[in-house]
Amino acid sequence: MLHQLFSRDDALDAPVPERQACRQSAGCGLDISQKPRVGTDSRVTEWRLVTWGSAKSTLDALLLRVADGDQAAFADWYDATSPTVFGIVLRVLRDRAQAEEVAQEVYVEAWRLAGRFDPTQGSSVSWLNTMAHRRAVDRVRSAERALRRDALAAVDDPPEPDPSDLAVLHDECRRAREAVEELSTPQRQVIELAYFQGRTHREVAALLDIPLGTAKTRIREALRHLRGHMEEAT
Amino acid sequence: MRGDAHQDGTAALYVADALSADERDTFERHLADCAHCRREVQDLREAAALLSQSEATTPPPGLRSAILAQIAETAQETADTGTPSAHRDEADGADGATVRGRPRHAVRPRGWRRIPYLVAAVAVLVALGGGVWGWRAHNAAVTAEQQNQLITHVLGSPDSVSRSARMTGGGRGVVIVSQDNHQAIFVGSDLPRPASDQVYQLWTIKGQPTSAGLIDSHRSTVVVRLPSAAVQASSVAVTVEPAGGSPVPTHKPVMTFQLS
């Protein structure tokens, strides 16, 4: 197992990859220049203009409508959340075709199970992100992952950025990036391996040659730090 | 893993999906019994969402149409079709209730699905800890904490009934009444802003209308606690009145909620 880990890729020697996605894309789903949407609810326009943080509860309310079978609400919810979902599954899987497949599975699952969403237990964004991240990680951990990743990493060049997208750099997206960049180097290392590459904490510890407990602590501290950042921001 | 598992930070590993499949299963069993860890998971999940957000990327346009087409043909799980011991199943499916990290029956109030989404949205605001909405207490200054307790109380009460109404100019309202708790609240959403010299006024009507307070906020969601007399009222109404309110209504109601 370990030799596989070490031979699989050279992620550790490389610096943490450039966070380009956000800069090259419309970002956090609040791009008001996006295509016309199915939903016609006037509130949608309104909340697209505010930041994600304060829009979270509106997104939650949308998902509650989705739970009642409202497809237009689902379309709006998709528009607001899909850059985050697609971004993370693409980051973990490093393959656009697979990322699209997983994103589609995630949204269909979210549609199916929307009735289980309980807004008192967390935001709809974290509800969805949990599904998306776990699904991507499970897939990347599947038997063929090493093969796939090695073969595909080379061809996964990001598409040319659309100039109109570049103009839309949403605050919240930028803030999220800044928060991540604020993490200490050891914290970013463990987050890179665990969260963005889907490694288990044992793999993280082995790859970094640190005690298991240290890997664990760093992951927790990194998440705690981000949580603290969010609280400051609100 | 049971017992003091929450002391060693496993929740963070769980949230980061950094546990092996076996460890994940074990921790989920622990979660079912450990409120402390459930809170921790819930909290850290918001941080994980931030990590994902930092990688936001525009999805291909075809994805949207493919997904919308597929959901149009996909049945939704209804409240009744969920397995009673859903916790495990959900864990395997990597979906919703694991996200919640607790058995469903433990928290969701009975009849939740029948509550209009707007009211559920209030619960969202409650969960966010107050300070988000405009609030006008009737005859009393109440703390944010008390507001939250009140709303949770009214919403969570099994006997609570709700009536909703739409305004012609857009916006809607819901009145929720709990006979058992002798409490009632009004929730307004996206009410059109009245003229600067006007204000919305609430009335409880039992024979005669009695003022139930003013709506003095222009937030998109407003919550007003109604006087306990509202519990016995035959209806609740909203009128537009001159600034400061009126002793008796001077206009026709813009919204009426029939309670009995």
Side-chain angles (χ1 to χ4, degrees):
Chain A
M1 186 66 183
L2 276 187
H3 71 275
Q4 277 183 329
L5 288 174
F6 281 104
S7 64
R8 197 161 73 208
D9 63 37
D10 53 0
L12 283 181
D13 302 327
V16 174
E18 268 291 317
R19 303 268 193 296
Q20 289 186 327
C22 223
R23 295 186 184 92
Q24 290 183 344
S25 75
C28 297
L30 295 167
D31 171 12
I32 54 170
S33 71
Q34 277 182 355
K35 62 226 159 282
R37 34 194 50 88
V38 170
T40 51
D41 195 321
S42 62
R43 276 189 304 274
V44 170
T45 318
E46 189 182 316
W47 60 252
R48 270 170 200 288
L49 296 170
V50 301
T51 65
W52 182 291
S54 55
K56 259 186 179 173
S57 60
T58 314
L59 290 176
D60 295 351
L62 270 182
L63 183 53
L64 291 163
R65 282 165 57 193
V66 171
D68 287 328
D70 186 335
Q71 294 183 22
F74 182 86
D76 287 333
W77 189 65
Y78 171 86
D79 288 338
T81 56
S82 56
T84 296
V85 167
F86 188 69
I88 188 58
V89 298
L90 178 60
R91 180 74 151 85
V92 172
L93 294 164
R94 295 200 209 169
D95 171 45
R96 289 186 77 86
Q98 284 199 64
E100 283 184 43
E101 215 175 287
V102 168
Q104 182 159 355
E105 286 169 10
V106 167
Y107 274 103
V108 172
E109 193 77 342
W111 163 260
R112 218 172 55 76
L113 302 177
R116 295 186 193 177
F117 169 64
D118 180 348
T120 64
Q121 303 293 309
S123 70
S124 67
V125 177
S126 87
W127 184 77
L128 179 66
N129 180 57
T130 300
M131 293 164 70
H133 186 260
R134 183 179 290 189
R135 214 172 255 267
V137 165
D138 284 350
R139 182 177 286 218
V140 86
R141 281 187 195 167
S142 69
E144 292 169 54
R145 65 180 170 175
L147 183 67
R148 268 196 208 128
R149 289 175 62 164
D150 290 349
L152 292 168
V155 298
D156 184 35
D157 289 329
E160 284 298 304
D162 178 332
S164 67
D165 283 349
L166 284 174
V168 186
L169 241 186
H170 195 274
D171 264 6
E172 196 71 19
C173 189
R174 182 177 49 76
R175 282 217 301 270
R177 271 204 329 273
E178 283 171 3
V180 175
E181 281 161 12
E182 262 179 29
L183 296 174
S184 70
T185 306
Q187 286 173 345
R188 284 177 66 182
Q189 273 182 327
V190 293
I191 288 299
E192 170 61 29
L193 291 169
Y195 195 78
F196 290 127
Q197 293 188 22
R199 317 274 187 165
T200 67
H201 68 295
R202 290 178 200 287
E203 291 171 335
V204 171
L207 284 162
L208 293 173
D209 197 20
I210 54 177
L212 198 54
T214 307
K216 212 180 227 188
T217 307
R218 282 185 195 167
I219 292 170
R220 182 178 46 183
E221 281 174 354
L223 289 176
R224 276 266 147 244
H225 180 91
L226 292 169
R227 193 70 186 93
H229 183 95
M230 294 172 87
E231 274 158 16
E232 277 171 29
T234 51
Chain B
M1 192 70 87
R2 259 164 216 264
D4 61 355
H6 56 258
Q7 292 169 2
D8 64 6
T10 308
L13 300 181
Y14 177 71
V15 168
D17 288 316
L19 295 173
S20 69
D22 286 350
E23 291 166 336
R24 185 193 282 172
D25 287 349
T26 309
F27 187 69
E28 279 176 350
R29 283 195 295 275
H30 168 74
L31 269 185
D33 298 333
C34 179
H36 174 93
C37 281
R38 285 200 299 274
R39 275 195 303 277
E40 175 89 351
V41 164
Q42 182 185 327
D43 204 35
L44 293 180
R45 272 185 170 150
E46 304 292 336
L50 193 70
L51 282 174
S52 296
Q53 213 176 336
S54 77
E55 294 291 328
T57 303
T58 307
L63 183 62
R64 185 181 197 268
S65 38
I67 288 173
L68 293 185
Q70 198 180 341
I71 63 121
E73 295 179 353
T74 303
Q76 290 182 298
E77 183 194 77
T78 63
D80 302 331
T81 57
T83 7
S85 60
H87 194 58
R88 274 290 305 170
D89 300 339
E90 288 160 356
D92 293 342
D95 66 49
T98 353
V99 176
R100 311 280 64 89
R102 48 145 189 81
R104 292 163 63 201
H105 54 79
V107 173
R108 181 168 294 196
R110 256 166 18 103
W112 173 272
R113 289 298 308 279
R114 286 192 294 277
I115 299 178
Y117 87 91
L118 176 61
V119 178
V122 175
V124 171
L125 298 176
V126 172
L128 291 176
V132 183
W133 63 67
W135 171 271
R136 165 91 183 189
H138 181 77
N139 291 337
V142 290
T143 65
E145 172 115 351
Q146 287 169 323
Q147 296 169 18
N148 291 352
Q149 282 176 356
L150 169 73
I151 296 170
T152 312
H153 207 54
V154 177
L155 283 175
S157 178
D159 79 313
S160 67
V161 294
S162 65
R163 296 286 180 269
S164 65
R166 285 181 186 279
M167 277 178 65
T168 42
R172 53 184 287 186
V174 177
V175 169
I176 308 146
V177 177
S178 166
Q179 298 280 348
D180 289 357
N181 294 328
H182 300 286
Q183 280 170 338
I185 59 176
F186 166 86
V187 184
S189 173
D190 297 326
L191 304 179
R193 206 182 179 112
S196 60
D197 57 346
Q198 291 183 323
V199 65
Y200 290 114
Q201 188 163 5
L202 284 150
W203 307 91
T204 57
I205 297 155
K206 191 179 187 190
Q208 294 299 314
T210 307
S211 175
L214 304 177
I215 301 171
D216 66 352
S217 164
H218 302 301
R219 303 262 189 167
S220 62
T221 303
V222 286
V223 181
V224 180
R225 178 169 58 172
L226 301 171
S228 53
V231 175
Q232 304 301 327
S234 56
S235 64
V236 169
V238 179
T239 60
V240 177
E241 299 295 333
S246 306
V248 292
T250 60
H251 287 85
K252 279 189 175 172
V254 291
M255 282 187 282
T256 305
F257 308 89
Q258 284 298 331
L259 298 177
S260 58

